[in-house]
Amino acid sequence: MAASVLSFPLTTFREDGSLDADAYRTYVAERLAAGPGALFPACGTGEFFSLDEDEYRQVVTIAVEETAGRVPVVAGTGYGWAQALRFARIAEEAGADALLVMPHYLTAAPQEGLVAQLERIAAGTRLPLIAYQRGEVAYTAESVRHLARIPGVIGLKDGHGDLDLLQRMLLTAPDGFLFFNGAATAEVQARAYAAVGVPAYSSATHAFAPEIAHAFLAALRAGDHGTVDKLLRDFYVPFVELRDRVPGYGVSLVKAAARLRGFPVGPVRAPLTDPTAADLAALKTLLTAGLDLVGAAL
């Protein structure tokens, strides 16, 4: 999975909000052609939280079929452990390779409970689990040590960006335990994560502009700080500033950008909202500029 950026495909909906399975198949095939290190269907960017179980089954099944073993398929799961296991069993039947366990719903919990949540899920599925800390879920280094001892728990995706704590986790975890940079618009912090030993990261940009995502990764790995800085200054940081204007734009802007590129991904589902006309215009200008930086066109 560290061979390239980790791709989190959008879930395609029709204008009436129904799942468009045919469009999803086409879209996933295009993501795979762009060369990700792994595919993460039905996760945060894929609006897992708005999918029913039948839709989830279709999304994961299509991702597995289109991938055909070329890269790992890591499906999202979440909510409380009982519901997470319902989705986990569907992902097993669909042929997924692993699961990303997203933050549970609403309730704050102590460290013992967070660990117990993963224990219950791991005991009920044969699929390897990657824990995802973000929002209400924030592990301590000691909890990560316990997570790494749970059979089937293979890694942690970090969405908090506390690099001091992350370094402690890395030193606590055993060799082979996987860590991923899962910060929002992960490229902005990619250098810092890599410096503490976490080079792999998720790329929402890959969902709509793989040309930019791969150009950034290539520059980062080559130590081409001039190109990295230019892409950050002229594309990624302005994108983050636009994203931060409205809650939920972390998905809504990505989906709008994909539509601007001609991908038939459709609208977001409530409770998310599509960008305003003014923000969409700003996004188009920014996307055009970002593509121009890497020699691509809208």
Side-chain angles (χ1 to χ4, degrees):
M1 287 194 285
S4 187
V5 296
L6 306 178
S7 180
F8 286 68
L10 298 155
T11 300
T12 56
F13 299 127
R14 300 183 181 91
E15 290 303 316
D16 65 1
S18 61
L19 177 68
D20 190 336
D22 290 338
Y24 185 72
R25 187 177 295 278
T26 299
Y27 176 72
V28 166
E30 291 170 338
R31 296 311 91 210
L32 290 167
L39 199 72
F40 286 68
C43 292
T45 305
E47 298 179 75
F48 165 76
F49 49 84
S50 74
L51 300 176
D52 65 28
E53 292 181 15
D54 181 62
E55 292 168 334
Y56 176 86
R57 184 185 304 275
Q58 292 183 69
V59 164
V60 178
T61 298
I62 290 169
V64 170
E65 289 174 350
E66 290 300 314
T67 301
R70 287 176 286 171
V71 296
V73 174
V74 184
T77 191
Y79 306 115
W81 63 264
Q83 188 64 36
L85 281 175
R86 290 176 66 91
F87 284 102
R89 287 162 189 152
I90 293 170
E92 284 185 21
E93 293 168 3
D97 298 297
L99 295 165
L100 178 66
V101 182
M102 290 182 288
H104 63 268
Y105 172 70
L106 188 62
T107 308
Q111 292 295 307
E112 294 84 354
L114 295 177
V115 173
Q117 165 93 335
L118 267 292
E119 289 175 336
R120 294 299 294 265
I121 298 171
T125 179
R126 62 176 177 77
L127 294 179
L129 305 180
I130 299 169
Y132 185 12
Q133 64 167 9
R134 190 167 183 169
E136 291 282 1
V137 176
Y139 297 105
T140 63
E142 179 65 12
S143 291
V144 169
R145 185 171 67 84
H146 287 293
L147 289 181
R149 292 176 173 175
I150 301 171
V153 178
I154 63 170
L156 175 74
K157 180 184 178 188
D158 173 60
H160 286 298
D162 183 339
L163 296 181
D164 178 274
L165 179 57
L166 186 61
Q167 182 70 87
R168 296 167 191 262
M169 291 175 174
L170 285 158
L171 295 171
T172 299
D175 291 342
F177 193 74
L178 306 175
F179 285 88
F180 304 99
N181 167 6
T185 315
E187 285 89 348
V188 174
Q189 299 189 54
R191 273 190 298 205
Y193 271 85
V196 299
V198 183
Y201 62 88
S202 58
S203 177
T205 306
H206 195 271
F208 63 88
E211 305 96 325
I212 298 174
H214 286 296
F216 182 89
L217 177 64
L220 182 68
R221 289 186 170 176
D224 181 357
H225 296 296
T227 298
V228 168
D229 286 344
K230 187 168 183 59
L231 286 168
L232 288 173
R233 184 184 304 110
D234 296 340
F235 175 73
Y236 283 104
V237 170
F239 182 84
V240 168
E241 291 171 350
L242 183 59
R243 181 201 71 200
D244 289 348
R245 290 183 186 178
V246 177
Y249 263 18
V251 175
S252 300
L253 284 182
V254 172
K255 210 161 200 184
R259 292 195 301 271
L260 287 171
R261 299 294 310 278
F263 303 131
V265 295
V268 293
R269 277 182 174 174
L272 301 181
T273 58
D274 288 308
T276 64
D279 289 343
L280 186 61
L283 175 63
K284 184 175 182 179
T285 298
L286 177 59
L287 179 55
T288 300
L291 290 167
D292 185 64
L293 290 172
V294 297
L298 188 61

